[in-house]
Amino acid sequence: MKKGVYLFLFVSLFLLGCSQSSVKLEKYDHSELEAELEEEGIRPKLPTKFPVAITEYKQRIPPHPSTIYETSFTGENRERFLLTISSAGTTYNDFEREDITINGNDGFYVESVLPGPSVHWDDGDYHYIFQYEMTETDEETKELMIKLAESFE
């Protein structure tokens, strides 16, 4: 009887441990990027956490006035994330997506092998698209993407 109870407890704790995301999130200081975007006339929320240490970011600013701002982030092992912020309305064609909530705002998750999974949502005056360029996704990837999006401040 005791062996059965111990076996049950062991299996339960093991399954609980396996179900917890094992990805440690690294803090990211976005103050430099925030200042650059303010110079462009926008004050969006920006990511404060990534699953890797970010070593650099690059903005793609078009030579003409635009309502779309793109920033790519590169991790220590060349991981890439792409943030697109739009200050104008955004419409989408019909495609497969899963409805999610980011900090109380409606959004959706797109699982894509290429270029990678992304989360899309509106918050205040901005529409956000946050993408992780990776080739393999699973249920933990979706949860990770939501956690990263919820870190925006």
Side-chain angles (χ1 to χ4, degrees), residues 54-121:
I54 297 299
T55 58
E56 69 177 353
Y57 71 86
K58 291 182 183 174
Q59 285 194 71
R60 193 177 107 191
I61 300 174
H64 53 78
S66 180
T67 60
I68 298 175
Y69 304 86
E70 290 185 351
T71 305
S72 64
F73 300 87
T74 304
E76 59 194 348
N77 294 314
R78 307 306 299 160
E79 301 90 339
R80 285 187 29 98
F81 301 84
L82 179 63
L83 172 61
T84 304
I85 302 167
S86 174
S87 59
T90 304
T91 58
Y92 290 93
N93 292 328
D94 198 24
F95 58 91
E96 190 171 330
R97 60 189 181 195
E98 182 179 341
D99 291 338
I100 59 171
T101 302
I102 305 290
N103 294 328
N105 299 299
D106 291 337
F108 59 91
Y109 170 76
V110 177
E111 185 174 316
S112 173
V113 174
L114 290 174
S118 59
V119 287
H120 306 240
W121 75 102

Side-chain angles (χ1 to χ4, degrees), residues 23-34:
V23 177
K24 179 181 179 262
L25 297 181
E26 302 284 334
K27 289 187 177 187
Y28 177 70
D29 179 6
H30 62 260
S31 57
E32 186 177 324
L33 174 59
E34 182 178 41

